[in-house]
Amino acid sequence: MAWNEPGGNNNDPWKNRGGRDQGPPDLDDVFKNLFGKFGKSGGNGGSGKSLGGIGAGILIGLIVVIWIISGFYTIREAERGVVLRFGEYYQQVEPGLRWAPTFVDSVIPVDVQSIRDKSSSGSMLTEDENVVDVQMEMQYRVVDPFRWTFAVENPEMSLSQSLDSAIRYVVGHSTMDDVLTDGREVTRQRVWEELQAIIEPYNMGVSIIDMNFRDARPPEQVKDAFDDAIAAQEDEQRFIREAEAYAREIEPRARGQVNRMNEEAQAYKEQVTLEAQGEVARFEELLPQYERAPEVTRERIYLETMQQVLSATSKILVDSKSGNNMMYLPLDKIMERQQNSSTPRSRSTLEGLQMPVLDEGQRSRNSAPSTGLRGESYREGR
């Protein structure tokens, strides 16, 4: 039979005698009975007093142990701890396991190695009364935990407001083209310098690492026109670079051609000079022979000149009145012989003139034979 069935002979696990269903005992009753027993023990002479003193000592010891344990804390490698004693700055602690008396010292950890960033954006009015949307981002690092904690009430808010002020000041003193196109780097540098000047008097214990120009664009209503203008400026810079590259390529080539032409001109000059000097020397050698026998000299010069002129032509004259017979002319052999028989005129003339010239007496005695010979040679030359 189950204990809770009717007539179960009082099988109540909670020991509720008398057959009444009273449920589990109340916790308040249990604590009252416990404290009542301690009170009775304390009232029983000296043994109760000693037991109460031991309990108080144990309680005080536990409180002291808990107080000591609660004073341990850890500063991470990237942090520095600012210790306040009764709310006043006491010291700065390095990374590691530390202990501070609870309720006496309080520690504020400050990260001094991480690079933090803060951005700012908004629509701003430029110097030429145009509106631009600018977005910039600042990167900074805490270098003095004490100044960062106590120099200003809210350093994060102060930095944000200083960045907004610097951007609006610089954009307000710049034209729209400078902010949107080729003056972005100058604008970024000017914002950095202006921000440094703003936060320097506050001595906030921060160092500005970098300033990034994230975006700068015109309002949406005129964005297409400004995109076209920027594309035209980029094309202009590209054409300029291409022209400079072409100039760097063509200039050495032109200089080489100039040097080659100068060398060729110098060589031609030397050639003409030497030829002229040779002609002068030839005529100087020819002059004494001409003075001794001018008629012979003129005749030989004429014959050799005609021989040189006629040998350079490709025409052949044939007398066909005597008959109608077919003649075979070896033109290739004739042309080859003409090319191979190119004797310098000046040297042959000089060699002929340097032969012993007959005096006037001998020429008068031998006038008939010599005249006949000259006539035959003259007619052959003709």
Side-chain angles (χ1 to χ4, degrees), residues 145-161:
F146 172 72
R147 301 301 305 175
W148 174 256
T149 307
F150 298 105
V152 294
E153 182 177 357
N154 191 341
E156 296 283 349
M157 181 68 68
S158 300
L159 273 179
S160 179
Q161 294 176 354

Side-chain angles (χ1 to χ4, degrees), residues 165-203:
S165 178
I167 295 175
R168 294 182 182 277
Y169 176 82
V170 173
V171 173
H173 288 77
S174 303
T175 61
M176 189 173 189
D177 292 337
D178 293 338
V179 176
L180 296 181
T181 56
D182 54 354
R184 295 167 65 95
E185 180 62 26
V186 178
T187 302
R188 185 190 71 87
Q189 189 66 29
R190 289 180 58 190
V191 171
W192 192 342
E193 295 174 357
E194 185 66 22
L195 180 60
Q196 289 279 15
I198 291 175
I199 66 175
E200 185 177 359
Y202 295 96
N203 195 10

Side-chain angles (χ1 to χ4, degrees), residues 228-254:
D228 294 339
I230 292 174
Q233 292 180 357
E234 291 177 352
D235 291 339
E236 178 186 3
Q237 296 298 325
R238 179 171 58 83
F239 291 149
I240 291 175
R241 289 193 293 269
E242 290 178 356
E244 292 175 351
Y246 177 74
R248 288 193 294 268
E249 178 184 359
I250 202 66
E251 184 177 358
R253 190 184 305 171

Side-chain angles (χ1 to χ4, degrees), residues 79-118:
E79 296 178 343
R80 299 295 183 271
V82 179
V83 180
L84 304 179
R85 178 160 293 178
F86 297 110
E88 184 179 0
Y89 174 74
Y90 176 64
Q91 64 178 354
Q92 179 176 322
V93 295
E94 298 295 325
L97 181 62
R98 303 291 176 177
W99 181 83
T102 308
F103 308 117
V104 177
D105 292 352
S106 59
V107 181
I108 303 175
V110 179
D111 192 344
V112 296
Q113 291 186 2
S114 300
I115 303 298
R116 311 182 187 187
D117 55 56
K118 186 171 292 296

Side-chain angles (χ1 to χ4, degrees), residues 245-319:
Y246 177 74
R248 288 193 294 268
E249 178 184 359
I250 202 66
E251 184 177 358
R253 190 184 305 171
R255 292 183 182 277
Q257 293 179 357
V258 169
N259 294 332
R260 181 173 58 82
M261 293 175 65
N262 289 333
E263 293 176 358
E264 291 177 354
Q266 185 68 26
Y268 177 74
K269 175 184 176 181
E270 294 178 357
Q271 178 184 357
V272 172
T273 302
L274 293 176
E275 289 179 354
Q277 291 176 355
E279 292 291 333
V280 170
R282 183 177 66 83
F283 281 109
E284 288 180 352
E285 293 180 2
L286 186 61
L287 181 60
Q289 306 299 329
Y290 179 79
E291 291 176 350
R292 294 173 58 185
E295 295 181 0
V296 175
T297 304
R298 282 198 301 268
E299 185 176 356
R300 293 188 65 88
I301 292 175
Y302 174 78
L303 293 176
E304 291 180 359
T305 302
M306 292 304 297
Q307 180 181 357
Q308 184 179 6
V309 170
L310 294 177
S311 63
T313 183
S314 59
K315 294 180 180 180
I316 298 176
L317 302 178
V318 178
D319 186 8

Side-chain angles (χ1 to χ4, degrees), residues 128-163:
D128 52 357
E129 298 181 356
N130 290 312
V131 178
V132 293
D133 296 333
V134 179
Q135 294 182 5
M136 297 193 72
E137 184 181 34
M138 172 187 65
Q139 295 181 352
Y140 66 97
R141 184 170 60 88
V142 177
V143 295
D144 190 344
F146 172 72
R147 301 301 305 175
W148 174 256
T149 307
F150 298 105
V152 294
E153 182 177 357
N154 191 341
E156 296 283 349
M157 181 68 68
S158 300
L159 273 179
S160 179
Q161 294 176 354
S162 300
L163 179 60

Side-chain angles (χ1 to χ4, degrees), residues 282 285 304 343-352 354:
R282 183 177 66 83
E285 293 180 2
E304 291 180 359
T343 304
R345 182 190 60 175
S346 60
R347 180 55 54 189
S348 62
T349 302
L350 289 176
E351 289 177 354
Q354 287 176 355

